[in-house]
Amino acid sequence: MNVLVTGGAGYIGSHAVQRLLADGNTVVVMDNLFRGHRAAVPAEATFVQGDLHDYDLIVKTLKDHAIECVINFAAWTYVGESVEQPLGYYHNNTAGVLTLLRAMAEAGVNKIVHSSTAATYGEPDEMPITEDTPQAPINPYGMSKYMVEQILRDTANANPEFAFACPRYFNVAGCDPEGRIGEDHSPETHLIPVLLEAATGKREKAYIFGTDYPTPDGTCIRDYVHVVDLIDAHVLLMNALKPGQQLFYNLGIGNGMSVREIVDAVKKVTGVDFTVEIGDRRAGDPPSLYADPKKIKEELGWEAKITDTETMVADAYKWFKANPEGYGDG
Ligand SMILES: NC(=O)c1ccc[n+]([C@@H]2O[C@H](COP(=O)([O-])OP(=O)(O)OC[C@H]3O[C@@H](n4cnc5c(N)ncnc54)[C@H](O)[C@@H]3O)[C@@H](O)[C@H]2O)c1
Ligand SMILES: O=c1ccn([C@@H]2O[C@H](COP(=O)(O)OP(=O)(O)O[C@H]3O[C@H](CO)[C@@H](O)[C@H](O)[C@H]3O)[C@@H](O)[C@H]2O)c(=O)[nH]1
């Protein structure tokens, strides 16, 4: 298939590009490099430096490359930052995708797999989270993605040829087990890479954001899913999508780990007893989020193969150790 991967120079997108190429697809990457890296995109993919807001460039790219499916990873992705910069988040993650969808309509491209998130569920009353759990985001990041889900539904309702899948990711972790690409964000805010930065001396210490949550050890619980498994699900979704379909699936392992448990896993894998201090709660963080991933298993046969946190941490650590300066471009 001819696939446009928006946000393909980022952490998850670059893993998708690698896999799509390995499967024999023709891949075009569009990324504005706000938080992505040119070096994360393999030479076999066509790279277009461009923005979700650039309607003309997207229409041209879709037409020039006879694109059949778009996989959209492009977004701003930090919960805490979204609380401080709500307008930026709605502009990029909601208005930007609206422009992408308008460009797809103009070019006659009717298939999209769009990254959604567990953050669309807000603070659910019950765990685990199923796809029917009511969505009530509690931060602008989650709301910016929830709004796109509604826009996609309306688009599909108006056009029987249009089809979309919205995988709702829980917390994505790990990286290519062969160490070819990794996770390099500036600033880095995700728990596992932050802890790895502390373990490798890139930061003096790490903080646990809140120990007074209503959870067994008082720290937040999340469902960490390996990026390689996550991308497997995208390939399945892209290949399964039929005109008119509107697919929503949770992508997680179905098990929650607390911040303290992740700290212990990182200390064990690295063998470094780095300093961890207790900090205040971070605005916008729900206490507990973990998936019921049954629906996608029953309907498409996907389930996470890697469920061991230490394996996820070890894969992330491998790239970190080999690339102390990340991609070296920022
Ligand atoms: N990392 C996670 O745990 C997680 C969990 C749930 C959902 N997601 C979603 O997965 C997707 C990928 O996340 P990631 O962790 O790889 O983030 P990332 O920041 O590494 O990648 C996002 C990429 O999109 C690009 N980008 C951002 N805005 C753009 C724009 N307007 N035009 C063109 N390119 C733009 C960035 O430069 C970056 O390369 C995002 O949509 C995110 O919301 C991530
Ligand atoms: O230095 C740190 C960083 C994080 N945390 C905590 O660790 C947990 C995980 O945080 P983080 O890794 O930043 O991920 P989330 O905020 O849970 O968000 C991720 O997971 C969401 C889905 O659950 C996605 O939508 C987001 O894009 C992605 O960033 C949270 O409880 C944080 O409070 C700390 O205690 N210290």
Side-chain angles (χ1 to χ4, degrees):
M1 219 184 281
N2 298 334
V3 188
L4 174 66
V5 181
T6 44
Y11 161 49
I12 302 173
S14 59
H15 284 82
V17 171
Q18 189 179 67
R19 168 67 191 274
L20 290 165
L21 289 168
D23 286 356
N25 298 284
T26 300
V27 181
V28 180
V29 171
M30 185 179 286
D31 198 298
N32 64 5
L33 299 182
F34 169 62
R35 280 194 177 132
H37 308 274
R38 181 65 186 85
V41 180
E44 302 81 34
T46 302
F47 181 74
V48 178
Q49 183 160 352
D51 195 286
L52 283 182
H53 292 95
D54 193 339
Y55 176 84
D56 292 340
L57 179 64
I58 301 173
V59 173
K60 181 175 170 8
T61 305
L62 293 170
K63 287 185 176 169
D64 284 356
H65 297 276
I67 296 298
E68 298 162 274
C69 181
V70 174
I71 308 188
N72 176 41
F73 296 98
W76 292 3
T77 70
Y78 296 156
V79 169
E81 185 181 71
S82 80
V83 176
E84 287 151 23
Q85 299 179 42
L87 297 181
Y89 270 72
Y90 289 117
H91 181 62
N92 200 59
N93 295 0
T94 312
V97 180
L98 194 57
T99 302
L100 171 66
L101 291 171
R102 287 176 45 244
M104 286 173 62
E106 172 66 23
V109 178
N110 282 317
K111 206 164 154 175
I112 182 167
V113 179
H114 168 76
S115 305
S116 195
T117 164
T120 60
Y121 292 111
E123 264 185 53
D125 293 334
E126 286 182 17
M127 289 296 140
I129 297 171
T130 73
E131 288 77 359
D132 295 328
T133 297
Q135 289 172 288
I138 61 161
N139 51 59
Y141 166 70
M143 186 56 89
S144 73
K145 293 274 182 173
Y146 177 68
M147 289 163 86
V148 172
E149 291 197 3
Q150 300 304 323
I151 292 168
L152 286 167
R153 279 193 185 92
D154 292 340
T155 309
N157 290 340
N159 175 6
E161 291 303 310
F162 186 80
F164 72 86
C166 272
R168 295 178 185 144
Y169 316 161
F170 284 66
N171 289 52
V172 188
C175 62
D176 172 28
E178 289 177 38
R180 291 165 294 183
I181 48 176
E183 183 168 9
D184 175 11
H185 291 124
S186 180
E188 186 54 79
T189 68
H190 290 133
L191 180 62
I192 293 175
V194 162
L195 296 174
L196 287 171
E197 285 184 2
T200 51
K202 262 188 105 175
R203 64 174 79 205
E204 199 189 322
K205 56 190 162 191
Y207 290 90
I208 293 179
F209 296 147
T211 53
D212 59 349
Y213 283 98
T215 59
D217 70 15
T219 67
C220 288
I221 290 176
R222 296 288 183 272
D223 181 331
Y224 295 85
V225 55
H226 198 293
V227 67
V228 168
D229 278 332
L230 187 95
I231 298 307
D232 266 351
H234 285 67
V235 170
L236 273 176
L237 289 169
M238 180 182 88
N239 292 329
L241 262 184
K242 301 274 178 307
Q245 278 190 317
Q246 307 186 20
L247 304 179
F248 297 93
Y249 291 112
N250 287 341
L251 297 184
I253 68 167
N255 193 16
M257 299 287 288
S258 74
V259 175
R260 282 195 199 278
E261 287 173 318
I262 298 290
V263 169
D264 291 345
V266 174
K267 286 191 173 182
K268 187 166 169 209
V269 167
T270 60
V272 182
D273 187 16
F274 52 88
T275 304
V276 179
E277 290 186 359
I278 308 301
D280 292 338
R281 286 185 178 199
R282 188 176 65 181
D285 276 345
S288 182
L289 293 173
Y290 58 95
D292 177 344
K294 250 201 315 282
K295 184 178 175 220
I296 189 164
K297 183 174 181 196
E298 284 169 5
E299 295 183 5
L300 292 177
W302 179 88
E303 68 181 328
K305 296 188 186 84
I306 304 163
T307 53
D308 170 41
T309 315
E310 285 174 25
T311 305
M312 299 186 204
V313 171
D315 285 344
Y317 185 43
K318 187 173 178 180
W319 193 82
F320 248 80
K321 261 194 313 194
N323 301 275
E325 299 308 320
Y327 287 103
D329 55 3

